[in-house]
Amino acid sequence: MIGQQRPHSRRTLVRVLLVIVAIALIALVIWGFIAGRKEAATEAQRESPVEAPLRVSTQNGASVVTLDAKTEQSNAIATAALARAPYQAQLHAYASVLDLTRLTDLSNSYLGARAQRDTAQAKLAASKMAYARAQGLYNDEQNVSLAQLQLAEAAFRTDQAALAAAQSQLRTLSDTAQQEWGSVLAQSIVDGSPLIRHLIERQQVLVQVTLPPGKTLPTPPTTASLQLDGNARTTITFVSIATRTDPRIQGVSFFYVAPASSALLTGMNVQALLPSGPTAEGVAVPGSAVVWWQDRAWVYLNAAPHAFVRTEIPTDQLAPGGGFIVKNLPRQSRIVVRGAQLLLSEEFRAQIQVGD
């Protein structure tokens, strides 16, 4: 009996071991599945974008960026009160840099004609003395012949005519310059003043500023500005009323000069800003407070504690030292002078999140 029970016990033990191994394998598979899912969930959470809390709301149609004190301090956002400054409206006009080839030719021709006149004057002075001496000698004792006297007189009369022709040429060139360029530039050619020298030597360029049709100015401003590429500007100085208009615009025109260092080239067309109207009270906006979006200038007003509202400002009047003078901001307001770009980024980041 005992010999017959031993094989049975071995089979039972094998079955138990097989069951235990099967259960262990199943448990291992289940554990691996659960661990894999946890790892995948963790990886997915790690790779998903972290969304910062939205700090932008809308009030009366305007976007308001609200930050807490800690965020303001960590991002070094600073505000300042607006300083008062005189504001004067700017009239937008058209400006073109003129070709000075004709003006240079007139100046050179005038210099040549003046040299001819001076030569004619010197020759006339000499021939006049010779004629007078010949007359005296002939009248006293006829120490010169009549033929010699006639030759001296002919030389004198010839030199008189040459001087008259040289003077006529000078008047013609002066009148031509006045007709084409106006009295100021024409007189500069006649006098050889620094104005014409600076233009010919290209230390300055001549700019024709033309007002829009129907627009006038009681008195052309002594100084104005030209809008160049980007936000760059250069100051121009009044010369005279122009003798012609721009045929494309048909408005009142003026001549101004601009420094050649402003990178203005012959034939360029740019926008001119001319002060016009009475002076009003405005505020100065520093350049550090301005952010640009869609080719327009904006500042952030400190509308409430830790709340900032983006407001558009005009850029027609530059402030000394940079920035702009505007009149559409209340004087008691405070604006962001450091960190405005961060507020703009925060505002549009919020828009992107809402869109997503």
Side-chain angles (χ1 to χ4, degrees), residues 162-221:
L163 177 60
Q167 290 173 333
S168 175
Q169 179 67 9
L170 277 178
R171 287 193 298 271
T172 299
L173 289 171
S174 176
D175 293 342
T176 301
Q178 187 159 345
Q179 288 290 328
E180 294 185 9
W181 299 97
S183 58
V184 175
L185 287 170
Q187 192 61 44
S188 181
I189 290 176
V190 171
D191 298 336
S193 69
L195 172 60
I196 193 66
R197 291 202 307 272
H198 291 165
L199 289 172
I200 292 176
E201 294 170 2
R202 197 167 172 75
Q203 298 177 31
Q204 293 179 316
V205 295
L206 189 64
V207 179
Q208 182 172 346
V209 175
T210 304
L211 303 183
K215 296 289 185 178
T216 58
L217 286 174
T219 304

Coordinates of all heavy atoms in Angstrom, one line a residue, residues 162-221:
A162 N 31.8 143.5 -74.8 CA 32.1 142.2 -74.1 C 31.6 142.2 -72.7 O 31.0 141.3 -72.2 CB 33.6 141.9 -74.2
L163 N 31.8 143.4 -72.0 CA 31.4 143.5 -70.6 C 29.9 143.5 -70.5 O 29.3 142.8 -69.7 CB 31.9 144.7 -70.0 CG 31.5 145.0 -68.5 CD1 31.9 143.8 -67.6 CD2 32.0 146.3 -68.0
A164 N 29.2 144.2 -71.5 CA 27.8 144.2 -71.5 C 27.2 142.8 -71.7 O 26.2 142.4 -71.1 CB 27.3 145.2 -72.5
A165 N 27.8 142.0 -72.6 CA 27.4 140.7 -72.9 C 27.6 139.8 -71.7 O 26.7 139.0 -71.4 CB 28.1 140.1 -74.1
A166 N 28.7 139.9 -71.0 CA 28.9 139.1 -69.8 C 27.9 139.4 -68.7 O 27.4 138.5 -68.0 CB 30.3 139.3 -69.3
Q167 N 27.6 140.7 -68.6 CA 26.6 141.1 -67.5 C 25.2 140.6 -67.9 O 24.5 140.2 -67.0 CB 26.7 142.6 -67.4 CG 27.9 143.1 -66.7 CD 28.0 144.7 -66.7 OE1 27.4 145.3 -67.6 NE2 28.7 145.2 -65.8
S168 N 24.9 140.6 -69.2 CA 23.6 140.1 -69.7 C 23.5 138.6 -69.4 O 22.5 138.1 -69.0 CB 23.5 140.4 -71.1 OG 22.2 139.9 -71.6
Q169 N 24.6 137.9 -69.6 CA 24.6 136.5 -69.4 C 24.4 136.2 -67.9 O 23.6 135.2 -67.6 CB 25.9 135.8 -69.9 CG 26.0 134.4 -69.6 CD 25.1 133.5 -70.5 OE1 24.4 134.0 -71.4 NE2 25.0 132.2 -70.2
L170 N 25.0 137.0 -67.1 CA 24.8 136.8 -65.6 C 23.4 137.0 -65.2 O 22.8 136.3 -64.5 CB 25.7 137.7 -64.8 CG 27.2 137.3 -64.6 CD1 27.9 138.4 -63.9 CD2 27.2 136.0 -63.9
R171 N 22.8 138.1 -65.8 CA 21.4 138.4 -65.5 C 20.5 137.3 -66.0 O 19.5 136.9 -65.3 CB 20.9 139.7 -66.0 CG 21.5 140.9 -65.3 CD 20.8 142.2 -65.8 NE 21.0 142.5 -67.2 CZ 22.0 143.1 -67.7 NH1 23.0 143.7 -66.9 NH2 22.1 143.3 -69.0
T172 N 20.8 136.7 -67.1 CA 19.9 135.7 -67.7 C 20.0 134.4 -66.8 O 19.0 133.8 -66.5 CB 20.4 135.3 -69.1 OG1 20.3 136.5 -69.9 CG2 19.6 134.2 -69.7
L173 N 21.2 134.1 -66.4 CA 21.3 132.9 -65.5 C 20.7 133.1 -64.2 O 20.0 132.2 -63.6 CB 22.8 132.6 -65.3 CG 23.5 132.0 -66.6 CD1 25.0 131.9 -66.3 CD2 23.0 130.6 -66.9
S174 N 20.8 134.3 -63.6 CA 20.1 134.6 -62.3 C 18.6 134.5 -62.5 O 17.9 134.0 -61.6 CB 20.6 136.0 -61.9 OG 19.9 136.3 -60.7
D175 N 18.1 135.1 -63.6 CA 16.6 135.0 -63.8 C 16.1 133.6 -64.0 O 15.1 133.2 -63.5 CB 16.2 135.9 -65.0 CG 16.5 137.4 -64.8 OD1 16.6 137.8 -63.6 OD2 16.5 138.1 -65.7
T176 N 16.9 132.8 -64.7 CA 16.6 131.4 -65.0 C 16.5 130.6 -63.6 O 15.6 129.9 -63.4 CB 17.6 130.8 -65.9 OG1 17.6 131.5 -67.2 CG2 17.2 129.3 -66.2
A177 N 17.6 130.9 -62.8 CA 17.6 130.2 -61.5 C 16.4 130.6 -60.7 O 15.8 129.8 -60.0 CB 18.9 130.5 -60.8
Q178 N 16.0 131.9 -60.7 CA 14.9 132.3 -59.9 C 13.6 131.7 -60.4 O 12.7 131.4 -59.6 CB 14.8 133.9 -59.9 CG 13.8 134.4 -59.0 CD 14.1 135.9 -58.7 OE1 15.1 136.4 -58.9 NE2 13.1 136.6 -58.1
Q179 N 13.5 131.6 -61.7 CA 12.2 131.0 -62.3 C 12.1 129.5 -61.9 O 11.1 129.0 -61.6 CB 12.2 131.2 -63.8 CG 12.0 132.6 -64.3 CD 10.6 133.0 -64.1 OE1 9.6 132.2 -64.1 NE2 10.4 134.3 -63.8
E180 N 13.3 128.8 -61.9 CA 13.2 127.4 -61.7 C 13.3 127.0 -60.3 O 12.7 126.0 -59.9 CB 14.4 126.7 -62.5 CG 14.3 126.8 -64.0 CD 15.4 126.1 -64.7 OE1 16.1 125.3 -64.0 OE2 15.5 126.2 -65.9
W181 N 14.0 127.8 -59.4 CA 14.2 127.4 -58.1 C 13.8 128.4 -57.0 O 13.9 128.1 -55.8 CB 15.7 127.0 -57.9 CG 16.2 125.9 -58.8 CD1 16.8 126.1 -60.0 CD2 16.0 124.5 -58.6 NE1 17.1 124.8 -60.5 CE2 16.6 123.9 -59.7 CE3 15.5 123.8 -57.5 CZ2 16.6 122.5 -59.8 CZ3 15.5 122.4 -57.6 CH2 16.1 121.8 -58.8
G182 N 13.3 129.5 -57.4 CA 12.9 130.5 -56.4 C 14.0 131.5 -56.0 O 15.2 131.3 -56.3
S183 N 13.6 132.5 -55.4 CA 14.5 133.6 -55.1 C 15.6 133.2 -54.1 O 16.7 133.7 -54.2 CB 13.7 134.8 -54.5 OG 13.0 134.5 -53.4
V184 N 15.3 132.4 -53.1 CA 16.3 132.0 -52.1 C 17.4 131.2 -52.7 O 18.6 131.5 -52.5 CB 15.6 131.3 -51.0 CG1 16.6 130.8 -50.0 CG2 14.6 132.1 -50.3
L185 N 17.1 130.2 -53.5 CA 18.1 129.4 -54.1 C 18.9 130.1 -55.2 O 20.1 130.0 -55.3 CB 17.5 128.1 -54.6 CG 17.1 127.0 -53.6 CD1 16.3 125.9 -54.3 CD2 18.3 126.5 -52.9
A186 N 18.1 131.0 -55.9 CA 18.8 131.8 -56.9 C 19.8 132.8 -56.3 O 20.9 132.9 -56.8 CB 17.7 132.5 -57.7
Q187 N 19.4 133.4 -55.2 CA 20.3 134.3 -54.6 C 21.5 133.6 -54.0 O 22.6 134.1 -54.0 CB 19.6 135.1 -53.5 CG 20.4 136.3 -52.9 CD 20.7 137.3 -54.0 OE1 19.8 137.7 -54.8 NE2 21.9 137.8 -54.0
S188 N 21.3 132.3 -53.6 CA 22.4 131.6 -53.0 C 23.4 131.2 -54.1 O 24.6 131.2 -53.9 CB 21.9 130.2 -52.4 OG 22.9 129.5 -51.9
I189 N 22.9 131.0 -55.4 CA 23.8 130.8 -56.5 C 24.6 132.1 -56.8 O 25.8 132.0 -57.0 CB 23.0 130.4 -57.7 CG1 22.4 129.0 -57.6 CG2 23.9 130.5 -59.0 CD1 21.6 128.5 -58.7
V190 N 23.9 133.2 -56.8 CA 24.6 134.5 -57.1 C 25.6 134.8 -56.0 O 26.8 135.2 -56.3 CB 23.5 135.6 -57.1 CG1 24.2 137.0 -57.2 CG2 22.6 135.4 -58.3
D191 N 25.3 134.6 -54.7 CA 26.2 134.9 -53.7 C 27.3 133.8 -53.4 O 28.3 134.1 -52.7 CB 25.5 135.2 -52.4 CG 24.5 136.3 -52.5 OD1 24.7 137.2 -53.4 OD2 23.5 136.4 -51.7
G192 N 27.0 132.6 -53.9 CA 27.9 131.5 -53.6 C 27.8 131.2 -52.1 O 28.8 130.8 -51.5
S193 N 26.6 131.2 -51.5 CA 26.5 131.1 -50.0 C 26.6 129.6 -49.6 O 26.6 128.7 -50.5 CB 25.1 131.6 -49.6 OG 24.1 130.7 -50.1
P194 N 26.7 129.3 -48.3 CA 26.9 127.9 -47.9 C 25.7 127.0 -48.3 O 25.9 125.8 -48.5 CB 26.9 128.1 -46.4 CG 27.5 129.4 -46.1 CD 26.9 130.3 -47.2
L195 N 24.5 127.6 -48.5 CA 23.4 126.8 -48.9 C 23.6 126.0 -50.2 O 23.5 124.8 -50.2 CB 22.1 127.6 -49.0 CG 20.9 126.9 -49.5 CD1 20.5 125.7 -48.7 CD2 19.7 127.9 -49.7
I196 N 24.0 126.8 -51.2 CA 24.2 126.1 -52.5 C 25.5 125.2 -52.5 O 25.5 124.2 -53.1 CB 24.4 127.2 -53.6 CG1 24.2 126.5 -55.0 CG2 25.6 128.0 -53.5 CD1 22.9 125.9 -55.2
R197 N 26.5 125.6 -51.7 CA 27.7 124.8 -51.6 C 27.4 123.4 -50.9 O 27.8 122.4 -51.4 CB 28.8 125.5 -50.9 CG 29.4 126.7 -51.6 CD 30.8 127.0 -51.1 NE 30.8 127.2 -49.6 CZ 30.5 128.3 -49.0 NH1 30.2 129.4 -49.7 NH2 30.6 128.4 -47.6
H198 N 26.6 123.5 -49.9 CA 26.3 122.3 -49.2 C 25.4 121.3 -50.0 O 25.6 120.1 -50.0 CB 25.5 122.6 -47.9 CG 26.4 123.3 -46.9 ND1 25.8 123.9 -45.8 CD2 27.7 123.4 -46.8 CE1 26.8 124.4 -45.0 NE2 28.0 124.1 -45.6
L199 N 24.6 121.9 -50.9 CA 23.7 121.1 -51.8 C 24.6 120.4 -52.9 O 24.4 119.2 -53.2 CB 22.6 121.9 -52.4 CG 21.5 122.3 -51.4 CD1 20.5 123.3 -52.1 CD2 20.7 121.1 -50.9
I200 N 25.5 121.2 -53.5 CA 26.3 120.7 -54.6 C 27.3 119.7 -54.1 O 27.5 118.7 -54.7 CB 27.0 121.9 -55.3 CG1 26.0 122.7 -56.0 CG2 28.0 121.3 -56.3 CD1 26.6 124.0 -56.7
E201 N 27.8 119.9 -52.9 CA 28.8 119.0 -52.3 C 28.1 117.8 -51.6 O 28.8 117.0 -51.0 CB 29.7 119.8 -51.3 CG 30.6 120.8 -52.0 CD 31.3 121.7 -51.0 OE1 31.1 121.5 -49.7 OE2 32.0 122.6 -51.4
R202 N 26.8 117.8 -51.6 CA 26.0 116.8 -51.0 C 26.2 116.6 -49.5 O 26.2 115.5 -49.0 CB 26.2 115.4 -51.7 CG 25.0 114.5 -51.4 CD 25.0 113.3 -52.3 NE 24.0 112.3 -51.8 CZ 22.7 112.5 -51.9 NH1 22.2 113.5 -52.6 NH2 21.8 111.6 -51.4
Q203 N 26.4 117.7 -48.9 CA 26.3 117.7 -47.4 C 24.9 117.8 -47.0 O 24.5 117.4 -45.9 CB 27.1 118.9 -46.8 CG 28.6 118.9 -47.2 CD 29.3 120.1 -46.6 OE1 28.9 120.6 -45.6 NE2 30.3 120.5 -47.3
Q204 N 24.0 118.3 -47.9 CA 22.6 118.3 -47.7 C 21.9 117.9 -48.9 O 22.5 117.9 -50.0 CB 22.1 119.8 -47.3 CG 22.6 120.2 -45.9 CD 22.1 121.7 -45.6 OE1 22.2 122.5 -46.5 NE2 21.7 121.9 -44.4
V205 N 20.6 117.5 -48.8 CA 19.8 117.2 -50.0 C 18.6 118.1 -50.0 O 18.1 118.6 -48.9 CB 19.3 115.7 -49.9 CG1 20.5 114.8 -50.1 CG2 18.6 115.4 -48.7
L206 N 18.1 118.4 -51.1 CA 16.9 119.2 -51.3 C 15.6 118.4 -51.4 O 15.6 117.5 -52.2 CB 17.1 120.1 -52.5 CG 16.0 121.3 -52.7 CD1 16.1 122.3 -51.6 CD2 16.2 122.0 -54.0
V207 N 14.7 118.7 -50.6 CA 13.4 117.9 -50.5 C 12.3 118.8 -50.9 O 12.2 120.0 -50.3 CB 13.2 117.4 -49.1 CG1 11.9 116.6 -49.0 CG2 14.4 116.5 -48.7
Q208 N 11.4 118.4 -51.7 CA 10.2 119.1 -52.1 C 9.0 118.5 -51.3 O 8.7 117.3 -51.4 CB 9.9 119.0 -53.6 CG 8.6 119.8 -53.9 CD 8.4 119.9 -55.4 OE1 9.4 119.7 -56.2 NE2 7.3 120.4 -55.9
V209 N 8.4 119.3 -50.4 CA 7.3 118.8 -49.6 C 6.0 119.4 -50.2 O 5.9 120.6 -50.4 CB 7.4 119.3 -48.2 CG1 6.2 118.9 -47.3 CG2 8.7 118.7 -47.5
T210 N 5.1 118.5 -50.5 CA 3.8 118.9 -51.2 C 2.6 118.5 -50.3 O 2.5 117.4 -49.8 CB 3.7 118.2 -52.5 OG1 4.8 118.5 -53.3 CG2 2.4 118.7 -53.3
L211 N 1.8 119.5 -50.0 CA 0.6 119.3 -49.2 C -0.5 118.5 -49.9 O -0.5 118.6 -51.2 CB 0.0 120.6 -48.7 CG 1.0 121.6 -47.9 CD1 0.2 122.8 -47.4 CD2 1.6 120.8 -46.7
P212 N -1.3 117.8 -49.2 CA -2.4 117.2 -49.9 C -3.3 118.2 -50.6 O -3.4 119.3 -50.2 CB -3.2 116.5 -48.8 CG -2.2 116.3 -47.7 CD -1.3 117.5 -47.8
P213 N -4.0 117.8 -51.7 CA -4.8 118.8 -52.4 C -5.9 119.4 -51.5 O -6.5 118.7 -50.7 CB -5.5 117.9 -53.5 CG -4.5 116.8 -53.7 CD -3.9 116.5 -52.4
G214 N -6.0 120.7 -51.5 CA -7.0 121.4 -50.7 C -6.4 121.8 -49.4 O -7.1 122.6 -48.6
K215 N -5.3 121.4 -49.0 CA -4.7 121.7 -47.7 C -3.7 122.9 -47.9 O -3.0 123.1 -48.9 CB -3.9 120.6 -47.1 CG -4.7 119.4 -46.7 CD -5.6 119.6 -45.5 CE -6.4 118.4 -45.1 NZ -7.2 118.6 -43.9
T216 N -3.8 123.8 -46.9 CA -2.9 125.0 -46.9 C -2.3 125.2 -45.5 O -2.8 124.7 -44.5 CB -3.6 126.3 -47.3 OG1 -4.7 126.5 -46.4 CG2 -4.1 126.1 -48.8
L217 N -1.2 126.0 -45.4 CA -0.6 126.4 -44.2 C -0.4 127.9 -44.2 O 0.1 128.4 -45.2 CB 0.7 125.7 -44.0 CG 0.7 124.2 -43.6 CD1 2.1 123.7 -43.5 CD2 0.0 124.0 -42.2
P218 N -0.9 128.6 -43.2 CA -0.7 130.1 -43.3 C 0.8 130.5 -43.3 O 1.2 131.4 -44.0 CB -1.3 130.6 -42.0 CG -1.5 129.4 -41.1 CD -1.6 128.2 -42.0
T219 N 1.6 129.7 -42.6 CA 3.1 130.0 -42.6 C 3.8 128.6 -42.6 O 3.5 127.8 -41.7 CB 3.5 130.8 -41.4 OG1 2.8 132.0 -41.4 CG2 5.0 131.1 -41.5
P220 N 4.6 128.4 -43.6 CA 5.3 127.1 -43.6 C 6.2 127.0 -42.3 O 6.9 127.9 -41.9 CB 6.2 127.1 -44.8 CG 5.6 128.2 -45.7 CD 5.0 129.2 -44.7
P221 N 6.2 125.8 -41.6 CA 7.0 125.7 -40.4 C 8.5 125.7 -40.7 O 8.9 125.2 -41.7 CB 6.6 124.3 -39.9 CG 6.0 123.6 -41.0 CD 5.4 124.6 -41.9

